[in-house]
Amino acid sequence: MHIDPPSGWRLWNEESERIILAYRPDVFDGGSFPAACLPTVYVTRGRRTRRPGNQRTETNTWFVTLFLEPDVEHDAERFDTRSEAIEGAIELADRFGAGEIDYRGLYQIPRPAYFDALDELTGIDDES
């Protein structure tokens, strides 16, 4: 299956059991936006456990997870096949790029200045 990421996203890595899409790596370069905050969408066969190492659970299921930082993630979505997971990842990436994902709610500690800059990048007009 050909992977054609939405606008602003780049295919960062593609392996048989893991695909990574990266959002605007041109701006998450340590300048205006910290490199560690590079939004990424992971497509994985199985889900990593919280313990260190490569331990995975549910290896027959595909997961799509949006990470905003290493410890800040959107709930993973489950899929039965790799192709369904890729389609789900593209849809999730498209929704994020269109400003349809509430990333503020994923952070335990608010970062107002960063959120404002990310709003501008994703085209969200925050009226609150």
Side-chain angles (χ1 to χ4, degrees):
M1 174 178 204
H2 175 72
I3 301 171
D4 187 20
S7 178
W9 289 86
R10 178 176 166 201
L11 179 60
W12 198 257
N13 186 353
E14 181 180 6
E15 299 171 7
S16 63
E17 295 191 1
R18 181 176 72 173
I19 297 165
I20 303 171
L21 302 176
Y23 183 70
R24 299 293 310 269
D26 58 316
V27 298
F28 285 88
D29 60 1
S32 298
F33 292 91
C37 294
L38 173 70
T40 54
V41 172
Y42 276 71
V43 176
T44 56
R45 183 172 178 202
R47 184 169 179 161
R48 290 184 64 142
T49 62
R50 296 265 181 207
R51 296 181 188 160
N54 289 326
Q55 298 172 347
R56 296 194 181 271
T57 60
E58 299 186 48
T59 58
N60 292 326
T61 304
W62 288 85
F63 290 86
V64 173
T65 310
L66 168 66
F67 288 93
L68 297 171
E69 296 183 28
D71 292 325
V72 179
E73 68 184 77
H74 185 269
D75 288 336
E77 298 175 34
R78 298 171 184 242
F79 297 89
D80 292 329
T81 68
R82 184 178 192 266
S83 61
E84 289 173 350
I86 291 170
E87 289 175 14
I90 290 170
E91 179 186 329
L92 178 61
D94 192 43
R95 288 180 19 231
F96 178 85
E100 296 174 10
I101 301 292
D102 176 23
Y103 42 79
R104 283 179 168 78
L106 302 175
Y107 281 82
Q108 292 181 359
I109 300 172
R111 297 173 55 181
Y114 174 68
F115 292 157
D116 290 345
L118 193 54
D119 287 346
E120 188 175 318
L121 188 63
T122 60
I124 292 177
D125 182 22
D126 185 22
E127 298 177 4
S128 54

